[in-house]
Amino acid sequence: MHHFEYRDGVLHCEDMSVTDLAARFGTPLYVYSTATFRRHFKVLADAFGSQRSLIAYSVKANSNMGVLATLAAMGSGADVVSAGEMFRAMKAGIPASKIVFSGVGKSAEEIKAALEAGIYQFNVESVPELYRLSEIAASMDTKAPLALRVNPHVSAGGHAHISTGAAEHKFGIAWHEAKSIYELAMSLPGIEVKGVDVHIGSQITDLTPMRAAFEKVVSLVRELRSMNVPITRIDLGGGLGIPYREGETPASPAQYAEMIRDVLGDLDVELILEPGRMIAGNAGIFVSKVEYIKERDGRRFAILDAGMNDLMRPALYQAVHELKPVISNDDSPVIDYDIVGPICESTDRFAKDYPLQEIHSGDLVAFMSAGAYGAVMSNQYNTRPICAEVLVDGDKAALVRKPPTFDEMIANEVVPEWLTT
Ligand code: LLP
Protein backbone atom coordinates (compact mmCIF):
# COMPACT_ATOMS: atom_id res chain seq x y z
CA MET A 1 0.00 0.00 0.00
CA HIS A 2 1.24 3.43 -0.84
CA HIS A 3 0.07 7.01 -1.21
CA PHE A 4 0.72 7.60 -4.92
CA GLU A 5 -2.51 7.76 -6.88
CA TYR A 6 -4.18 9.55 -9.76
CA ARG A 7 -6.53 12.38 -8.95
CA ASP A 8 -8.40 13.69 -12.00
CA GLY A 9 -5.83 12.02 -14.22
CA VAL A 10 -2.80 13.56 -12.50
CA LEU A 11 -0.45 11.42 -10.43
CA HIS A 12 -0.28 12.65 -6.83
CA CYS A 13 1.98 11.94 -3.89
CA GLU A 14 -0.39 12.32 -0.95
CA ASP A 15 -1.96 15.78 -1.54
CA MET A 16 0.71 17.10 -3.89
CA SER A 17 0.47 16.80 -7.64
CA VAL A 18 3.60 15.36 -9.20
CA THR A 19 3.37 17.92 -12.02
CA ASP A 20 3.59 20.71 -9.46
CA LEU A 21 6.51 19.03 -7.71
CA ALA A 22 8.37 18.66 -11.00
CA ALA A 23 7.71 22.30 -11.89
CA ARG A 24 8.96 23.42 -8.48
CA PHE A 25 11.98 21.15 -8.04
CA GLY A 26 12.88 20.14 -11.60
CA THR A 27 13.57 16.67 -13.00
CA PRO A 28 14.88 14.05 -12.63
CA LEU A 29 13.40 13.95 -9.16
CA TYR A 30 12.89 11.39 -6.41
CA VAL A 31 9.60 11.93 -4.57
CA TYR A 32 8.98 10.26 -1.19
CA SER A 33 5.75 9.89 0.76
CA THR A 34 5.93 10.32 4.53
CA ALA A 35 2.55 8.63 5.04
CA THR A 36 3.82 5.55 3.20
CA PHE A 37 7.01 5.34 5.27
CA ARG A 38 4.97 5.65 8.43
CA ARG A 39 2.44 3.12 7.29
CA HIS A 40 5.05 0.51 6.37
CA PHE A 41 6.86 0.93 9.67
CA LYS A 42 3.63 0.61 11.61
CA VAL A 43 2.35 -2.40 9.67
CA LEU A 44 5.56 -4.24 10.50
CA ALA A 45 5.62 -3.13 14.15
CA ASP A 46 1.96 -4.12 14.57
CA ALA A 47 2.58 -7.50 12.96
CA PHE A 48 5.07 -8.34 15.72
CA GLY A 49 2.73 -7.05 18.42
CA SER A 50 3.97 -7.89 21.89
CA GLN A 51 7.00 -9.91 20.73
CA ARG A 52 10.14 -8.21 22.10
CA SER A 53 11.64 -6.76 18.94
CA LEU A 54 13.76 -3.99 17.52
CA ILE A 55 13.07 -2.77 14.00
CA ALA A 56 16.48 -1.68 12.76
CA TYR A 57 15.69 -0.05 9.43
CA SER A 58 18.36 -0.97 6.90
CA VAL A 59 19.82 2.44 6.13
CA LYS A 60 21.36 1.32 2.84
CA ALA A 61 17.90 1.15 1.23
CA ASN A 62 17.37 4.90 1.51
CA SER A 63 19.65 6.94 3.71
CA ASN A 64 18.27 10.41 3.06
CA MET A 65 18.33 12.42 6.29
CA GLY A 66 14.68 13.40 5.90
CA VAL A 67 13.72 9.75 5.58
CA LEU A 68 15.87 8.69 8.54
CA ALA A 69 14.41 11.46 10.70
CA THR A 70 10.88 10.34 9.74
CA LEU A 71 11.67 6.80 10.87
CA ALA A 72 13.59 7.94 13.96
CA ALA A 73 10.46 9.77 15.09
CA MET A 74 8.53 6.48 14.83
CA GLY A 75 11.05 4.81 17.15
CA SER A 76 13.01 2.97 14.49
CA GLY A 77 16.50 1.64 15.04
CA ALA A 78 19.05 1.29 12.26
CA ASP A 79 21.03 -1.43 10.55
CA VAL A 80 24.20 0.21 9.24
CA VAL A 81 27.11 -1.08 7.17
CA SER A 82 29.59 1.77 7.42
CA ALA A 83 30.72 4.52 9.75
CA GLY A 84 29.07 6.93 7.32
CA GLU A 85 25.68 5.27 7.71
CA MET A 86 26.11 5.20 11.49
CA PHE A 87 26.91 8.92 11.45
CA ARG A 88 23.77 9.66 9.41
CA ALA A 89 21.54 7.51 11.57
CA MET A 90 22.67 9.17 14.78
CA LYS A 91 22.49 12.68 13.27
CA ALA A 92 18.92 11.89 12.26
CA GLY A 93 18.04 11.04 15.85
CA ILE A 94 18.39 7.26 16.02
CA PRO A 95 20.14 6.47 19.30
CA ALA A 96 23.26 4.28 19.30
CA SER A 97 21.38 1.90 21.59
CA LYS A 98 19.18 0.98 18.59
CA ILE A 99 21.95 0.57 16.02
CA VAL A 100 23.33 -2.72 14.73
CA PHE A 101 26.44 -2.74 12.55
CA SER A 102 26.50 -5.32 9.73
CA GLY A 103 28.86 -5.98 6.84
CA VAL A 104 31.82 -8.21 5.96
CA GLY A 105 34.56 -5.60 5.93
CA LYS A 106 34.41 -3.35 9.00
CA SER A 107 37.63 -1.35 9.31
CA ALA A 108 39.42 -0.82 12.63
CA GLU A 109 38.36 2.84 12.55
CA GLU A 110 34.72 1.89 12.01
CA ILE A 111 34.80 -0.60 14.88
CA LYS A 112 36.36 1.97 17.18
CA ALA A 113 33.79 4.62 16.26
CA ALA A 114 30.93 2.19 16.86
CA LEU A 115 32.33 1.12 20.24
CA GLU A 116 32.76 4.75 21.24
CA ALA A 117 29.17 5.44 20.24
CA GLY A 118 27.98 2.42 22.25
CA ILE A 119 25.95 0.64 19.59
CA TYR A 120 23.59 -2.22 20.37
CA GLN A 121 25.23 -4.99 18.37
CA PHE A 122 28.01 -5.93 15.99
CA ASN A 123 27.08 -8.54 13.43
CA VAL A 124 30.40 -10.28 12.83
CA GLU A 125 31.02 -12.27 9.69
CA SER A 126 34.46 -13.93 10.08
CA VAL A 127 37.05 -15.17 12.58
CA PRO A 128 39.59 -12.45 11.69
CA GLU A 129 36.89 -9.82 12.25
CA LEU A 130 36.05 -11.43 15.59
CA TYR A 131 39.68 -11.18 16.75
CA ARG A 132 39.92 -7.58 15.54
CA LEU A 133 36.71 -6.61 17.34
CA SER A 134 37.83 -8.22 20.59
CA GLU A 135 41.26 -6.65 20.44
CA ILE A 136 39.94 -3.13 19.85
CA ALA A 137 37.22 -3.45 22.49
CA ALA A 138 39.67 -4.85 25.06
CA SER A 139 42.09 -2.00 24.35
CA MET A 140 39.24 0.40 25.11
CA ASP A 141 38.41 -1.50 28.30
CA THR A 142 35.03 -2.53 27.06
CA LYS A 143 33.23 -5.52 25.59
CA ALA A 144 31.58 -5.53 22.18
CA PRO A 145 28.00 -6.89 22.08
CA LEU A 146 28.17 -9.58 19.44
CA ALA A 147 26.07 -11.66 17.09
CA LEU A 148 27.69 -13.94 14.53
CA ARG A 149 26.13 -13.87 11.10
CA VAL A 150 25.72 -17.48 10.12
CA ASN A 151 25.43 -18.54 6.51
CA PRO A 152 22.60 -21.09 6.54
CA HIS A 153 23.38 -22.36 3.04
CA VAL A 154 19.89 -21.41 1.88
CA SER A 155 19.69 -19.30 -1.23
CA ALA A 156 16.92 -16.81 -1.95
CA GLY A 157 16.24 -13.42 -3.41
CA GLY A 158 14.77 -11.61 -6.36
CA HIS A 159 17.92 -11.81 -8.50
CA ALA A 160 21.23 -13.72 -8.37
CA HIS A 161 23.04 -10.49 -7.50
CA ILE A 162 20.99 -9.91 -4.36
CA SER A 163 21.10 -13.43 -2.97
CA THR A 164 23.48 -13.90 -0.01
CA GLY A 165 22.76 -17.11 1.89
CA ALA A 166 24.50 -19.79 -0.17
CA ALA A 167 27.95 -21.26 0.56
CA GLU A 168 29.50 -19.50 -2.43
CA HIS A 169 28.59 -16.05 -1.12
CA LYS A 170 31.08 -14.02 0.90
CA PHE A 171 28.60 -13.47 3.71
CA GLY A 172 28.56 -15.02 7.18
CA ILE A 173 30.47 -17.78 8.92
CA ALA A 174 30.09 -21.36 7.73
CA TRP A 175 27.14 -23.15 9.19
CA HIS A 176 29.15 -26.18 10.35
CA GLU A 177 31.72 -23.96 12.12
CA ALA A 178 29.22 -21.87 14.03
CA LYS A 179 29.39 -23.66 17.37
CA SER A 180 33.17 -23.70 17.55
CA ILE A 181 33.35 -20.01 16.61
CA TYR A 182 30.83 -19.17 19.34
CA GLU A 183 33.08 -21.04 21.79
CA LEU A 184 36.01 -18.99 20.56
CA ALA A 185 33.98 -15.79 20.95
CA MET A 186 33.13 -16.74 24.55
CA SER A 187 36.83 -17.03 25.31
CA LEU A 188 37.82 -13.61 23.98
CA PRO A 189 38.28 -10.71 26.42
CA GLY A 190 36.60 -7.98 24.35
CA ILE A 191 33.45 -9.85 23.39
CA GLU A 192 30.05 -10.25 24.99
CA VAL A 193 28.05 -12.84 23.09
CA LYS A 194 24.44 -11.77 22.58
CA GLY A 195 22.89 -13.26 19.50
CA VAL A 196 22.73 -15.10 16.21
CA ASP A 197 22.28 -13.17 12.97
CA VAL A 198 21.13 -14.32 9.53
CA HIS A 199 20.25 -12.58 6.25
CA ILE A 200 19.76 -14.67 3.13
CA GLY A 201 18.91 -12.16 0.41
CA SER A 202 16.67 -9.39 -0.74
CA GLN A 203 13.32 -9.09 -2.55
CA ILE A 204 12.22 -12.48 -1.21
CA THR A 205 8.56 -12.90 -2.07
CA ASP A 206 8.02 -16.50 -0.97
CA LEU A 207 8.59 -17.30 2.70
CA THR A 208 9.73 -20.91 2.19
CA PRO A 209 13.50 -20.27 2.02
CA MET A 210 13.29 -17.78 4.89
CA ARG A 211 11.50 -20.34 6.99
CA ALA A 212 14.15 -22.94 6.20
CA ALA A 213 16.91 -20.55 7.26
CA PHE A 214 15.11 -19.39 10.41
CA GLU A 215 14.41 -22.97 11.50
CA LYS A 216 18.13 -23.68 11.30
CA VAL A 217 18.87 -20.57 13.34
CA VAL A 218 16.36 -21.50 16.04
CA SER A 219 17.83 -24.97 16.40
CA LEU A 220 21.31 -23.44 16.59
CA VAL A 221 20.13 -21.09 19.36
CA ARG A 222 18.78 -24.01 21.36
CA GLU A 223 22.06 -25.90 20.96
CA LEU A 224 24.13 -22.87 21.89
CA ARG A 225 22.07 -22.30 25.00
CA SER A 226 22.57 -25.92 25.99
CA MET A 227 26.32 -25.23 25.70
CA ASN A 228 25.86 -22.24 28.06
CA VAL A 229 26.36 -19.68 25.32
CA PRO A 230 23.97 -16.96 26.53
CA ILE A 231 22.01 -16.14 23.37
CA THR A 232 19.28 -13.60 24.10
CA ARG A 233 18.69 -12.14 20.62
CA ILE A 234 18.09 -13.35 17.08
CA ASP A 235 18.66 -10.93 14.23
CA LEU A 236 16.64 -12.13 11.25
CA GLY A 237 18.05 -9.61 8.77
CA GLY A 238 15.89 -8.05 6.09
CA GLY A 239 14.81 -9.34 2.74
CA LEU A 240 11.03 -9.25 2.66
CA GLY A 241 9.94 -8.49 -0.91
CA ILE A 242 7.50 -5.88 -2.19
CA PRO A 243 5.13 -5.71 -5.17
CA TYR A 244 6.94 -4.00 -8.06
CA ARG A 245 4.06 -4.38 -10.47
CA GLU A 246 0.33 -4.20 -10.02
CA GLY A 247 -1.08 -7.62 -9.29
CA GLU A 248 2.06 -8.99 -7.63
CA THR A 249 1.31 -10.40 -4.18
CA PRO A 250 4.47 -11.12 -2.22
CA ALA A 251 4.21 -12.46 1.32
CA SER A 252 2.86 -9.75 3.61
CA PRO A 253 4.44 -8.47 6.82
CA ALA A 254 1.62 -10.19 8.73
CA GLN A 255 2.39 -13.55 7.09
CA TYR A 256 6.09 -13.01 7.70
CA ALA A 257 5.51 -12.31 11.39
CA GLU A 258 3.17 -15.30 11.67
CA MET A 259 5.78 -17.58 10.10
CA ILE A 260 8.41 -16.29 12.53
CA ARG A 261 6.13 -16.82 15.52
CA ASP A 262 5.54 -20.35 14.34
CA VAL A 263 9.26 -21.06 13.90
CA LEU A 264 10.15 -19.56 17.29
CA GLY A 265 7.54 -21.63 19.14
CA ASP A 266 8.20 -21.23 22.86
CA LEU A 267 11.70 -19.84 22.40
CA ASP A 268 12.01 -16.72 24.56
CA VAL A 269 14.20 -14.34 22.66
CA GLU A 270 14.42 -10.73 21.53
CA LEU A 271 14.11 -10.26 17.77
CA ILE A 272 15.98 -7.79 15.62
CA LEU A 273 14.62 -7.09 12.13
CA GLU A 274 16.51 -5.24 9.42
CA PRO A 275 13.89 -4.29 6.82
CA GLY A 276 14.99 -1.96 4.05
CA ARG A 277 13.00 -2.37 0.85
CA MET A 278 9.80 -3.30 2.70
CA ILE A 279 9.86 0.11 4.41
CA ALA A 280 11.21 2.31 1.62
CA GLY A 281 10.54 0.64 -1.74
CA ASN A 282 6.98 1.70 -2.37
CA ALA A 283 7.39 4.96 -0.45
CA GLY A 284 9.18 6.60 -3.36
CA ILE A 285 8.84 7.24 -7.08
CA PHE A 286 11.33 8.59 -9.56
CA VAL A 287 10.08 11.26 -11.94
CA SER A 288 11.66 12.04 -15.27
CA LYS A 289 10.90 14.16 -18.32
CA VAL A 290 10.82 12.90 -21.90
CA GLU A 291 13.48 14.74 -23.91
CA TYR A 292 12.90 13.13 -27.29
CA ILE A 293 10.91 10.46 -29.01
CA LYS A 294 13.22 8.90 -31.55
CA GLU A 295 11.98 6.48 -34.18
CA ARG A 296 14.56 4.32 -35.90
CA ASP A 297 14.68 0.87 -37.52
CA GLY A 298 11.14 0.14 -36.47
CA ARG A 299 11.83 0.92 -32.82
CA ARG A 300 10.49 3.80 -30.82
CA PHE A 301 12.86 5.15 -28.17
CA ALA A 302 11.65 7.42 -25.39
CA ILE A 303 14.80 9.28 -24.39
CA LEU A 304 14.47 10.56 -20.83
CA ASP A 305 16.36 13.17 -18.85
CA ALA A 306 17.15 10.39 -16.33
CA GLY A 307 19.87 7.82 -16.80
CA MET A 308 21.27 4.67 -15.25
CA ASN A 309 23.37 6.91 -12.99
CA ASP A 310 20.14 8.10 -11.34
CA LEU A 311 18.39 4.72 -11.10
CA MET A 312 20.78 1.80 -11.48
CA ARG A 313 18.54 -1.15 -10.73
CA PRO A 314 17.46 -1.89 -14.32
CA ALA A 315 21.07 -1.84 -15.60
CA LEU A 316 22.44 -3.80 -12.65
CA TYR A 317 19.74 -6.39 -11.95
CA GLN A 318 17.52 -6.21 -15.05
CA ALA A 319 14.88 -4.87 -12.68
CA VAL A 320 11.74 -3.50 -14.29
CA HIS A 321 10.11 -0.59 -12.51
CA GLU A 322 6.53 0.03 -13.48
CA LEU A 323 6.40 3.23 -15.50
CA LYS A 324 3.38 5.54 -15.44
CA PRO A 325 2.60 8.75 -17.25
CA VAL A 326 2.29 11.56 -14.71
CA ILE A 327 -0.76 12.82 -16.60
CA SER A 328 -2.85 9.88 -17.65
CA ASN A 329 -5.25 10.03 -20.54
CA ASP A 330 -7.28 6.90 -21.09
CA ASP A 331 -8.07 8.00 -24.65
CA SER A 332 -4.39 7.90 -25.68
CA PRO A 333 -3.28 4.87 -27.69
CA VAL A 334 -0.91 2.49 -25.88
CA ILE A 335 2.40 2.15 -27.72
CA ASP A 336 5.54 0.10 -27.07
CA TYR A 337 8.61 2.15 -26.18
CA ASP A 338 12.22 1.41 -25.42
CA ILE A 339 12.73 3.62 -22.37
CA VAL A 340 16.30 4.89 -22.35
CA GLY A 341 18.49 7.58 -20.80
CA PRO A 342 21.06 10.03 -22.16
CA ILE A 343 24.17 8.13 -21.02
CA CYS A 344 26.67 6.78 -23.54
CA GLU A 345 26.15 3.11 -22.66
CA SER A 346 23.82 0.55 -24.16
CA THR A 347 22.89 -0.61 -20.64
CA ASP A 348 21.36 2.82 -20.09
CA ARG A 349 17.96 1.35 -20.79
CA PHE A 350 15.16 1.17 -18.23
CA ALA A 351 12.85 -1.09 -20.23
CA LYS A 352 12.44 -2.60 -23.68
CA ASP A 353 9.15 -2.76 -25.60
CA TYR A 354 7.35 -1.18 -22.67
CA PRO A 355 3.67 -0.47 -23.34
CA LEU A 356 2.77 3.07 -22.36
CA GLN A 357 0.09 5.61 -23.18
CA GLU A 358 1.47 7.71 -26.02
CA ILE A 359 4.03 10.21 -24.72
CA HIS A 360 5.66 13.24 -26.26
CA SER A 361 8.70 15.38 -25.70
CA GLY A 362 8.20 17.37 -22.47
CA ASP A 363 5.85 14.85 -20.84
CA LEU A 364 6.60 13.51 -17.36
CA VAL A 365 6.81 9.84 -16.47
CA ALA A 366 7.16 8.18 -13.09
CA PHE A 367 9.06 5.02 -12.19
CA MET A 368 7.14 3.42 -9.36
CA SER A 369 8.64 1.60 -6.34
CA ALA A 370 11.86 3.57 -6.52
CA GLY A 371 12.15 4.49 -2.84
CA ALA A 372 14.63 1.73 -2.01
CA TYR A 373 18.03 1.33 -3.68
CA GLY A 374 17.23 4.24 -6.00
CA ALA A 375 18.79 7.56 -4.97
CA VAL A 376 21.27 5.80 -2.66
CA MET A 377 22.85 3.93 -5.56
CA SER A 378 22.98 6.91 -7.89
CA ASN A 379 26.26 8.37 -9.04
CA GLN A 380 27.60 11.20 -11.13
CA TYR A 381 28.74 9.25 -14.20
CA ASN A 382 28.93 11.48 -17.29
CA THR A 383 29.20 14.38 -14.79
CA ARG A 384 25.49 14.32 -14.24
CA PRO A 385 24.63 15.87 -10.86
CA ILE A 386 23.01 13.59 -8.29
CA CYS A 387 19.38 14.58 -8.66
CA ALA A 388 17.03 16.22 -6.18
CA GLU A 389 14.99 14.35 -3.59
CA VAL A 390 11.72 15.66 -2.19
CA LEU A 391 9.80 14.49 0.86
CA VAL A 392 6.05 15.05 0.89
CA ASP A 393 3.87 15.05 4.00
CA GLY A 394 0.22 15.69 3.17
CA ASP A 395 0.16 19.02 1.35
CA LYS A 396 3.72 19.95 2.34
CA ALA A 397 6.84 19.22 0.29
CA ALA A 398 10.47 19.79 1.26
CA LEU A 399 13.61 19.52 -0.81
CA VAL A 400 15.52 16.95 1.26
CA ARG A 401 18.51 16.76 -1.05
CA LYS A 402 19.53 19.47 -3.41
CA PRO A 403 21.59 18.61 -6.48
CA PRO A 404 25.13 19.95 -6.55
CA THR A 405 26.11 22.73 -8.94
CA PHE A 406 28.85 22.01 -11.48
CA ASP A 407 31.23 24.01 -9.31
CA GLU A 408 30.37 21.84 -6.31
CA MET A 409 30.83 18.72 -8.39
CA ILE A 410 34.43 19.54 -9.17
CA ALA A 411 35.24 21.32 -5.92
CA ASN A 412 37.10 18.36 -4.38
CA GLU A 413 39.17 17.64 -7.45
CA VAL A 414 42.63 19.09 -7.81
CA VAL A 415 44.67 19.80 -10.90
CA PRO A 416 48.27 19.00 -9.83
CA GLU A 417 50.50 22.02 -9.51
CA TRP A 418 52.87 20.75 -12.20
CA LEU A 419 50.09 21.35 -14.69
CA THR A 420 49.26 24.81 -13.46
CA THR A 421 52.67 26.45 -13.19
N1 LLP B 1 20.40 -6.64 6.33
C1 LLP B 1 21.50 -6.96 5.62
C2 LLP B 1 22.63 -7.58 6.30
C3 LLP B 1 21.54 -6.68 4.24
O1 LLP B 1 22.62 -7.00 3.53
C4 LLP B 1 20.42 -6.09 3.61
C5 LLP B 1 20.44 -5.76 2.18
C6 LLP B 1 19.31 -5.76 4.40
C7 LLP B 1 19.33 -6.06 5.76
C8 LLP B 1 18.08 -5.11 3.83
O2 LLP B 1 17.48 -5.95 2.92
P1 LLP B 1 16.03 -5.59 2.32
O3 LLP B 1 15.04 -5.66 3.46
O4 LLP B 1 16.09 -4.24 1.76
O5 LLP B 1 15.81 -6.65 1.31
N2 LLP B 1 20.60 -3.05 -4.27
C9 LLP B 1 19.77 -4.23 -4.34
C10 LLP B 1 19.47 -4.79 -2.97
C11 LLP B 1 20.71 -5.08 -2.15
C12 LLP B 1 20.40 -5.56 -0.76
C13 LLP B 1 21.62 -5.61 0.07
N3 LLP B 1 21.44 -6.00 1.43
C14 LLP B 1 18.52 -3.92 -5.13
O6 LLP B 1 18.39 -2.80 -5.62
O7 LLP B 1 17.67 -4.77 -5.29
Side-chain angles (χ1 to χ4, degrees), residues 358-380:
E358 186 169 18
I359 45 174
H360 304 96
S361 170
D363 287 352
L364 296 172
V365 290
F367 292 93
M368 307 306 287
S369 315
Y373 308 109
V376 276
M377 291 176 70
S378 63
N379 60 70
Q380 309 202 129

Side-chain angles (χ1 to χ4, degrees), residues 58 60-61 79 81 102 149 162 164 171 199 201-203 237-240 244 274-278 313 317 372-373 377:
S58 197
K60 65 171 81 67
D79 159 49
V81 291
S102 304
R149 176 169 173 181
I162 55 174
T164 55
F171 300 101
H199 171 84
S202 196
Q203 185 53 14
L240 192 60
Y244 271 97
E274 301 173 355
R277 194 188 314 262
M278 182 260 142
R313 304 193 67 257
Y317 318 113
Y373 308 109
M377 291 176 70

Side-chain angles (χ1 to χ4, degrees), residues 13-343:
C13 173
E14 304 188 20
D15 296 330
M16 298 293 290
S17 104
V18 173
T19 353
D20 289 351
L21 292 171
R24 195 161 136 202
F25 300 105
T27 57
L29 180 68
Y30 277 94
V31 178
Y32 306 131
S33 153
T34 299
T36 312
F37 275 108
R38 290 196 181 130
R39 185 190 150 83
H40 289 168
F41 186 87
K42 189 166 180 312
V43 163
L44 191 65
D46 289 352
F48 283 89
S50 57
Q51 166 76 41
R52 266 188 305 139
S53 52
L54 169 67
I55 299 180
Y57 167 66
S58 197
V59 170
K60 65 171 81 67
N62 185 324
S63 59
N64 183 280
M65 291 300 289
V67 167
L68 294 181
T70 302
L71 293 170
M74 309 259 328
S76 182
D79 159 49
V80 303
V81 291
S82 69
E85 284 191 351
M86 184 177 76
F87 173 82
R88 277 179 183 278
M90 293 199 305
K91 279 271 178 204
I94 297 175
S97 60
K98 289 185 181 176
I99 294 180
V100 300
F101 202 135
S102 304
V104 293
K106 300 172 198 78
S107 70
E109 293 72 30
E110 288 178 321
I111 289 174
K112 195 159 174 279
L115 285 167
E116 273 163 5
I119 66 163
Y120 195 53
Q121 180 168 300
F122 289 85
N123 290 335
V124 163
E125 304 217 16
S126 67
V127 171
E129 185 194 343
L130 181 61
Y131 278 119
R132 178 183 277 183
L133 178 62
S134 173
E135 215 170 275
I136 298 173
S139 76
M140 293 167 68
D141 249 346
T142 184
K143 280 178 185 287
L146 170 114
L148 288 173
R149 176 169 173 181
V150 292
N151 184 325
H153 301 178
V154 173
S155 199
H159 185 272
H161 292 177
I162 55 174
S163 177
T164 55
E168 65 170 297
H169 297 129
K170 69 181 174 185
F171 300 101
I173 58 167
W175 183 253
H176 55 278
E177 290 172 347
K179 277 180 277 181
S180 63
I181 300 177
Y182 270 101
E183 279 178 331
L184 170 65
M186 292 286 286
S187 74
L188 295 177
I191 297 294
E192 187 170 2
V193 174
K194 294 285 191 187
V196 177
D197 170 42
V198 70
H199 171 84
I200 60 170
S202 196
Q203 185 53 14
I204 301 170
T205 51
D206 165 12
L207 296 180
T208 315
M210 277 196 178
R211 185 180 186 110
F214 296 171
E215 279 172 349
K216 284 178 121 174
V217 167
V218 165
S219 69
L220 175 64
V221 169
R222 291 188 196 278
E223 279 183 76
L224 289 169
R225 282 183 176 175
S226 75
M227 293 160 56
N228 290 324
V229 180
I231 302 293
T232 55
R233 310 170 184 165
I234 300 181
D235 183 335
L236 293 174
L240 192 60
I242 61 163
Y244 271 97
R245 267 165 274 184
E246 253 164 59
E248 286 180 353
T249 50
S252 68
Q255 290 166 325
Y256 174 70
E258 183 58 43
M259 177 274 284
I260 291 170
R261 258 193 296 279
D262 200 42
V263 171
L264 290 180
D266 61 1
L267 191 74
D268 181 26
V269 74
E270 180 196 351
L271 288 183
I272 300 175
L273 307 164
E274 301 173 355
R277 194 188 314 262
M278 182 260 142
I279 303 278
N282 283 319
I285 63 171
F286 179 51
V287 182
S288 176
K289 189 177 73 188
V290 178
E291 292 286 4
Y292 303 102
I293 302 294
K294 165 169 165 173
E295 300 195 26
R296 206 214 53 215
D297 296 327
R299 307 205 67 82
R300 190 178 274 110
F301 297 94
I303 304 175
L304 306 184
D305 68 355
M308 65 192 257
N309 71 302
D310 301 301
L311 178 65
M312 282 182 79
R313 304 193 67 257
L316 211 48
Y317 318 113
Q318 293 77 50
V320 178
H321 285 258
E322 193 174 349
L323 192 64
K324 292 188 172 177
V326 168
I327 297 180
S328 172
N329 178 356
D330 289 340
D331 297 332
S332 290
V334 172
I335 299 175
D336 281 355
Y337 293 94
D338 286 1
I339 313 290
V340 302
I343 290 184

